[in-house]
Amino acid sequence: MVEDVRDEPVDAPTLHEIRGWPASIDVPVAATAFGISRSHAYELIARGAFPAKVIQVGTRYKVITASIVQALSAETI
């Protein structure tokens, strides 16, 4: 489970659900896919270590949904 901004448990999205997301999403939504908090996601972005492709649009960050699917689908050896 993932905590939302109100600290209430929410279910993490399934890979099937993520595939139905728009082409790019906000960081807090992307964070739920990886089971991390919003603040941790922004820390990872600042360090260049977020596990999916992030683009900056003006002062906002957007995460590319296809890169989330790719990251979550990757096989580990």
Side-chain angles (χ1 to χ4, degrees), residues 9 16 22 25 32 44-45 54 56-58 67 71 76:
H16 178 74
I25 56 170
T32 66
L44 291 173
I45 290 169
V54 178
Q56 189 167 2
V57 181
S67 68
T76 57

Side-chain angles (χ1 to χ4, degrees), residues 1-4 8-22 25-37 50 63 65 68-69 71-73:
M1 282 198 197
V2 178
E3 302 280 324
D4 72 7
E8 296 172 7
V10 295
D11 290 330
T14 65
L15 192 55
H16 178 74
E17 291 169 333
I18 294 168
R19 285 186 174 112
W21 287 357
I25 56 170
D26 292 328
V27 172
V29 176
T32 66
F34 293 105
I36 61 175
S37 71
F50 194 76
V63 181
T65 302
I68 296 172
V69 171
L72 294 176
S73 299

